């Protein structure tokens, strides 16, 4: 059998990875070869619950027959055609299906790209070009939120507030001011030079699952509107049901000026993104050639991606995914509360829909020394009990596909409890009823 691990260690360069450690003798990376529902299987035949939905992408489970069939059907026709100079039926249908979620006078125009970062890049470039074409050349800055995350391309990353990721590139990025709350934004001087405010609505993912106060998004919308500042929502993680509604902004009846979607757009099957834009912004791009939006990628509106995305939306209807969510979210909340009560090392649980952060601290409530990498060790240990997930520092992230069942939630949380015990040396908490 081919030694895939050796080939990987010799030639692959992994994202956000300490390669020296990854390629060391002791490291035994999992080779994932198959998936079904919320389960993933490795090359040795071990099965695991996909506890972070394959890096926050998967919605209805792996190998879903409806999505598989939709991709196969399109594949039998053609895999890719250019969206530059041509169109195709599925892109037309998908754009209509997406805008249908929003009032007719608002987000009605869809620009396709490839991933979360490019969905943000598009919104940022559009926001700046819009100002240049509307006699507002002075609005050249962005405001973003501290510790936010918007992707890794140079432009999107410059709006990110996680210093470890971007500090060394800061001087190459956009002009951005960071605030940590709406109140701080309201006190900023010179708001008339701001083109747009970017935020992850309801919950910041990479910031250890930081949940915003209720009503904050609604108030932010009112404030930005009054100031003539565009509201750019990054729903790359929160989109497609994660927070309980199709889009997080719907929870507070907010319609942004730009809406960025990616990860769950195709149900987690193929890389594809969409930037939804208000019609009046789009209209500023009409006219002679100098007004066009000169931007695009080779795989823009890839037909296989569109097929998967349409099937993803179909499943929301055929399986009543959103209707079933509240009961699951409540069940999950109950089980998490039990975990927090039973484990002395769970200091806080933060939850928004099926987006969960479980923060670990020592029994006195103090943070562990970062060098101990407790969160990471717990996640590695949890694999032995059948769960795959990743921490952010010492916050364990649990962000399963929406299709997870109550039984599977139980299995996952038991694996987390066992992982914690294995690393921190405490008897495994009893999570039975
Ligand atoms: C993952 C993520 C991105 C970046 O998406 P990519 O597809 O990885 O480029 C942007 N914003 C948020 C909120 C994300 O979670």
């Amino acid at each position: 059998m081919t030694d895939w691990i050796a080939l990987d260690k010799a030639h692959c360069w992994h994202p956000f990875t300490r390669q020296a450690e990854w390629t060391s003798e002791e490291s035994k990376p999992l080779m994932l070869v198959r998936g079904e529902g919320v389960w993933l299987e490795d090359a040795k035949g071990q099965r695991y619950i996909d506890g972070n939905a394959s890096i926050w992408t998967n919605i209805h489970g792996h190998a879903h027959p409806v999505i598989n069939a939709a991709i196969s059907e399109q594949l039998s026709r053609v895999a890719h055609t250019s969206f530059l100079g041509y169109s195709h039926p599925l892109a037309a249908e998908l754009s209509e299906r997406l805008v249908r979620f929003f009032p007719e006078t608002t987000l009605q125009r869809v620009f396709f790209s490839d991933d979360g970062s490019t969905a943000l890049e598009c919104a940022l470039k559009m926001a700046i070009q819009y100002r240049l074409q509307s006699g507002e050349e002075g609005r050249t800055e962005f405001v973003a939120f501290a510790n936010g995350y918007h992707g890794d391309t140079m432009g999107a990353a410059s709006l990110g507030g996680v210093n470890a990721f971007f500090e060394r590139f800061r001087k190459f990025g956009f002009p951005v001011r960071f605030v940590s709350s709406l109140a701080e934004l309201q006190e900023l001087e010179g708001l008339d030079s701001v083109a747009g405010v970017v935020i992850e609505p309801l919950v910041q993912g990479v910031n250890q699952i930081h949940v915003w106060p209720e009503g904050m998004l609604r108030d932010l919308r009112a404030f930005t509107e009054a100031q003539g500042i565009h509201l750019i929502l990054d729903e790359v993680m929160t989109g497609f049901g994660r927070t309980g509604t199709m889009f997080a902004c719907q929870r507070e009846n907010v319609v942004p000026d730009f809406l960025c979607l990616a990860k769950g757009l195709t149900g987690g099957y193929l890389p594809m993104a969409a930037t939804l834009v208000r019609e009046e912004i789009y209209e500023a791009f009409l006219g002679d050639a100098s007004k066009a939006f000169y931007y695009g990628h080779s795989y823009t509106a890839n037909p296989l991606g569109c097929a998967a995305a349409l099937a993803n939306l179909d499943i929301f209807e055929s399986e009543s995914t959103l209707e079933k969510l509240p009961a699951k979210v409540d069940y999950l909340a109950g089980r998490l509360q039990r975990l927090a009560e039973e484990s002395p090392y769970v200091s806080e649980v933060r939850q928004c829909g099926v987006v969960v952060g479980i923060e670990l601290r020592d029994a006195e409530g103090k943070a562990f020394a970062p060098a101990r990498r407790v969160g990471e060790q717990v996640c590695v240990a949890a694999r032995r009990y059948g769960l795959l997930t990743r921490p952010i520092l010492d916050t364990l992230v649990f962000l399963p596909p929406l299709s997870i069942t109550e039984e599977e939630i139980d299995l996952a949380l038991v694996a987390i409890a066992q992982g914690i015990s294995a690393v921190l040396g405490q008897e495994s908490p009893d999570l039975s009823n």
Side-chain angles (χ1 to χ4, degrees):
M1 197 164 69
T2 312
D3 188 349
W4 297 306
I5 292 180
L7 294 181
D8 176 294
K9 286 185 179 178
H11 302 294
C12 294
W13 190 344
H14 289 261
F16 287 93
T17 298
R18 309 170 197 216
Q19 283 289 132
E21 197 171 287
W22 178 272
T23 55
S24 69
E25 195 68 41
E26 314 81 72
S27 121
K28 306 250 183 309
L30 288 187
M31 286 282 163
L32 298 172
V33 296
R34 200 169 276 114
E36 191 184 359
V38 301
W39 295 89
L40 290 172
E41 190 180 314
D42 72 11
K44 293 180 180 147
Q46 291 286 342
R47 278 160 50 88
Y48 310 87
I49 289 180
D50 186 0
N52 81 344
S54 293
I55 205 72
W56 311 355
T57 58
N58 194 281
I59 302 287
H60 304 292
H62 295 282
H64 194 292
V66 173
I67 300 181
N68 286 8
I71 295 172
S72 302
E73 195 180 313
Q74 180 57 38
L75 189 55
S76 70
R77 292 201 195 98
V78 62
H80 184 64
T81 52
S82 171
F83 208 57
L84 171 61
Y86 310 95
S87 189
H88 65 85
L90 298 188
E93 268 180 48
L94 177 58
S95 56
E96 193 273 335
R97 287 282 291 276
L98 289 173
V99 304
R100 221 193 272 165
F101 290 103
F102 300 95
E104 265 174 42
T105 53
T106 64
L107 300 173
Q108 291 297 306
R109 200 54 64 169
V110 180
F111 194 96
F112 290 110
S113 61
D114 306 335
D115 47 45
S117 309
T118 53
L120 265 296
E121 292 288 340
C122 275
L124 300 175
K125 282 194 153 181
M126 284 171 178
I128 293 295
Q129 189 175 335
Y130 170 83
R131 300 296 181 178
L132 295 174
Q133 288 171 191
S134 311
E136 297 175 287
E137 293 84 353
R139 288 198 184 264
T140 54
E141 276 187 311
F142 291 100
V143 171
F145 284 83
N147 299 311
Y149 177 77
H150 302 290
D152 295 325
T153 55
M154 201 65 113
S158 64
L159 299 171
V162 183
N163 273 334
F165 298 168
F166 198 68
E167 203 167 35
R168 56 174 73 83
F169 301 114
R170 196 64 73 194
K171 70 169 188 251
F172 302 101
F174 284 123
V176 183
R177 287 192 276 172
F178 289 95
V179 294
S180 52
S181 63
L182 173 56
E184 268 184 38
L185 169 65
Q186 286 165 331
E187 278 157 26
L188 280 186
E189 302 279 321
L191 283 173
D192 56 358
S193 66
V194 175
V197 172
V198 184
I199 188 170
E200 296 158 83
L202 299 193
V203 51
Q204 289 181 316
V206 172
N207 185 20
Q208 298 172 277
I209 315 296
H210 168 82
V211 182
W212 293 115
E214 206 177 309
M216 184 270 207
L217 185 64
R218 196 180 51 232
D219 296 346
L220 176 64
R221 171 71 287 190
F223 181 72
T224 50
E225 195 162 320
Q227 296 287 328
I229 295 171
H230 285 152
L231 180 61
I232 302 170
L233 292 190
D234 177 352
E235 292 229 28
V236 172
M237 183 275 279
T238 54
F240 302 97
R242 294 275 179 224
T243 68
T245 43
M246 187 58 97
F247 303 109
C249 60
Q250 294 170 317
R251 284 264 301 270
E252 298 197 359
N253 285 318
V254 160
V255 181
D257 300 297
F258 297 89
L259 179 69
C260 302
L261 304 173
K263 290 190 170 107
L265 172 60
T266 60
Y269 281 62
L270 289 164
M272 175 164 212
T275 305
L276 275 60
V277 187
R278 273 191 193 253
E279 203 62 8
E280 71 255 29
I281 296 175
Y282 164 77
E283 280 164 10
F285 291 76
L286 305 178
D288 64 31
S290 71
K291 293 203 165 167
F293 186 52
Y294 290 112
Y295 185 96
H297 296 283
S298 328
Y299 284 97
T300 295
N302 172 257
L304 299 177
C306 291
L310 284 165
N312 176 39
L313 293 174
D314 288 343
I315 298 169
F316 270 98
E317 289 171 21
S318 62
E319 296 186 1
S320 307
T321 306
L322 293 177
E323 291 75 6
K324 288 178 190 156
L325 262 185
K328 271 184 214 189
V329 170
D330 283 352
Y331 183 79
L332 177 58
R335 304 308 291 162
L336 288 164
Q337 195 186 339
R338 181 71 186 263
L339 176 69
E341 283 162 7
E342 296 290 325
S343 171
Y345 301 112
V346 172
S347 75
E348 192 179 54
V349 172
R350 296 181 285 274
Q351 180 185 6
C352 182
V354 291
V355 177
V356 174
I358 299 166
E359 188 171 331
L360 302 180
R361 293 188 172 217
D362 71 15
E364 273 89 60
K366 290 205 289 289
F368 292 106
R372 280 184 69 184
R373 294 159 74 181
V374 167
E376 218 174 296
Q377 287 189 56
V378 168
C379 289
V380 171
R383 289 181 188 178
R384 294 206 292 275
Y385 307 101
L387 177 73
L388 296 185
T389 191
R390 286 182 63 85
I392 299 168
L393 303 175
D394 288 338
T395 296
L396 312 178
V397 175
F398 184 56
L399 200 157
L402 307 187
S403 57
I404 194 166
T405 63
E406 291 185 358
E407 292 72 28
E408 289 161 342
I409 288 173
D410 284 347
L411 290 173
L413 293 192
V414 167
I416 287 174
Q418 285 172 320
I420 294 171
S421 306
V423 172
L424 295 169
Q426 216 247 340
E427 228 176 274
S428 196
D430 179 12
L431 293 185
S432 59
N433 285 311

